[in-house]
């Protein structure tokens, strides 16, 4: 359970298929971004990924950087 102090935008509410549809990014690419440390969705007790509004905003930024030709290692440095 997420503490009450956590902002609503940080709560993981979207499954991977919904996140894929909302962001326009394939589920496999979302998994790749997670494996590269660019994204850290929350997990249910059963291990299902749950993405938040904050994650969707981060994905928008990642997409902008990819479109500008920045590689994943560069994106990781920029986002950190």
């Amino acid at each position: 359970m997420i503490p009450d102090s956590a902002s609503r935008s940080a709560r993981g509410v979207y499954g991977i298929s919904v996140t894929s549809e909302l962001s326009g990014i394939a589920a496999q690419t979302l998994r790749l971004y997670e494996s590269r440390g660019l994204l850290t969705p929350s997990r249910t007790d059963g291990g299902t990924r749950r993405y938040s509004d904050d994650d969707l905003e981060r994905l928008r930024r990642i997409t902008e950087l990819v479109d500008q030709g920045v590689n994943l290692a560069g994106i990781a440095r920029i986002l950190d």
Side-chain angles (χ1 to χ4, degrees):
M1 197 94 190
I2 296 176
D4 290 336
S5 62
S7 71
R8 182 171 188 267
S9 65
R11 292 186 187 148
V13 294
Y14 307 110
I16 195 166
S17 61
V18 173
T19 302
S20 177
E21 186 177 328
L22 290 172
S23 67
I25 299 170
Q28 183 174 348
T29 304
L30 293 173
R31 290 184 198 98
L32 172 69
Y33 290 168
E34 182 181 359
S35 72
R36 297 288 179 94
L38 299 178
L39 194 60
T40 309
S42 61
R43 299 276 184 152
T44 65
D45 291 338
T48 303
R49 291 170 179 87
R50 290 289 178 209
Y51 296 87
S52 66
D53 289 334
D54 289 348
D55 292 328
L56 287 172
E57 184 58 37
R58 189 172 178 93
L59 284 168
R60 284 184 199 96
R61 181 68 177 133
I62 291 168
T63 300
E64 290 172 0
L65 293 168
V66 167
D67 290 347
Q68 293 173 12
V70 180
N71 65 25
L72 296 183
I75 292 171
R77 293 190 71 181
I78 291 168
L79 295 177
D80 286 341

